Amino acid sequence: MAGMTRYSIDSNVRTRAMLCVAALSIVCAAVANQALFPCLESLASCIGIGALYQTLSEIGLIGSAAAFAWYSAFWYLFDSKLWKLFKRFHGIPDLSGDWVGRATSSFKNEDGSSYSYDMKLKITQTFTKIQCTACFAASESESSCVGISACNAERDSCRLEFSYENEAGENAVRVGTWQESHLGFNRIRCEGNMMKGQYFTNREPQTKGTFALERKSEDVK
């Protein structure tokens, strides 16, 4: 299984976000250098490691390296949590949560009716990474390549697309020459707490279908 992977977007907002975090880090590092490091130097002298402090400062591990430390801390917080508070500025929608509904396949039942089944899509998302796991009665599919595009902040909508690998369980449906595990692709239109999607697979014979899901919770447990 792929786990959390980077997802593509159709804008340069990540570059702008990184520049903003870098600028904030430089400012914080400058303030810390003026207010904190003189105190650390005095403390180092008091406990007898003044020479070591000076050596570390000369090679850049103290003082000049502070901006990198601030940047690492700020970027981690922004990427994992704080990005959700700034959606109006970067426009990337928060799709995380449990989406529940029904799917309909091109496969037909014995009576000729369309085969439908329950489906749950669990999405875990940060500013740069995402994981989409589709859960069915007898199998699971996990995303690999993911992209979010056509974002519209006013309508709270976007297009979510991802390829996936399905790992069938022991009770998975087998029809003719269907493979137990297969690859596929989802194309989904998300608007608010609703999403409608299409999928197709590389099964033999090939299958495709549609699904409609509603977000039931915003945090995946």
Side-chain angles (χ1 to χ4, degrees), residues 36-47 49-50 53-54 57:
L36 178 63
F37 288 109
C39 298
L40 290 179
E41 185 175 6
S42 299
L43 179 61
S45 299
C46 292
I47 62 178
I49 59 171
Y53 181 92
Q54 288 297 329
S57 180

Side-chain angles (χ1 to χ4, degrees), residues 87 91 93 95 99 150-159 189-196 215:
K87 288 190 294 181
L95 302 177
W99 301 75
C151 299
N152 186 320
E154 293 183 358
R155 298 184 60 182
D156 191 19
S157 64
C158 67
R159 183 168 60 242
R189 184 65 183 173
C190 309
E191 186 166 344
N193 289 322
M194 303 296 296
M195 62 169 56
K196 294 183 178 180
R215 177 153 51 183

Side-chain angles (χ1 to χ4, degrees), residues 14-202:
R14 285 190 181 136
T15 299
R16 296 202 301 269
M18 293 175 68
L19 291 175
C20 290
V21 172
L24 178 62
S25 302
I26 292 173
V27 172
C28 290
V31 172
N33 286 342
Q34 293 295 322
L36 178 63
F37 288 109
C39 298
L40 290 179
E41 185 175 6
S42 299
L43 179 61
S45 299
C46 292
I47 62 178
I49 59 171
L52 175 60
Y53 181 92
Q54 288 297 329
T55 300
L56 294 177
S57 180
E58 289 173 0
I59 64 177
L61 294 182
I62 294 178
S64 60
F68 296 100
W70 283 104
Y71 179 85
S72 298
F74 284 149
W75 184 253
Y76 172 79
L77 290 173
F78 180 79
D79 181 50
S80 60
K81 301 291 184 182
L82 299 181
W83 71 280
K84 297 182 180 181
L85 303 178
F86 296 91
K87 288 190 294 181
R88 63 174 297 182
F89 298 105
H90 58 67
I92 298 177
D94 176 17
L95 302 177
S96 59
D98 291 338
W99 301 75
V100 181
R102 298 279 292 176
T104 302
S105 171
S106 59
F107 170 68
K108 302 297 183 181
N109 293 312
E110 293 182 357
D111 61 1
S113 60
S114 297
Y115 177 68
S116 62
Y117 48 92
D118 293 328
M119 174 180 175
K120 179 168 72 172
L121 182 62
K122 302 172 65 176
I123 300 180
T124 305
Q125 183 185 359
T126 70
F127 187 62
T128 58
K129 293 185 177 182
I130 197 169
Q131 180 182 28
C132 305
T133 303
C135 304
F136 310 99
S139 67
E140 286 191 355
S141 299
E142 189 167 298
S143 60
S144 50
C145 297
V146 185
I148 296 177
S149 59
C151 299
N152 186 320
E154 293 183 358
R155 298 184 60 182
D156 191 19
S157 64
C158 67
R159 183 168 60 242
L160 170 66
E161 298 176 313
F162 62 88
S163 58
Y164 65 85
E165 179 179 355
N166 177 274
E167 291 191 1
E170 294 181 356
N171 297 322
V173 176
R174 299 183 181 90
V175 179
T177 58
W178 276 22
Q179 302 168 0
E180 291 187 11
S181 298
H182 60 273
L183 303 177
F185 184 81
N186 283 329
R187 182 182 176 91
I188 306 169
R189 184 65 183 173
C190 309
E191 186 166 344
N193 289 322
M194 303 296 296
M195 62 169 56
K196 294 183 178 180
Q198 300 172 307
Y199 74 89
F200 66 86
T201 75
N202 69 339

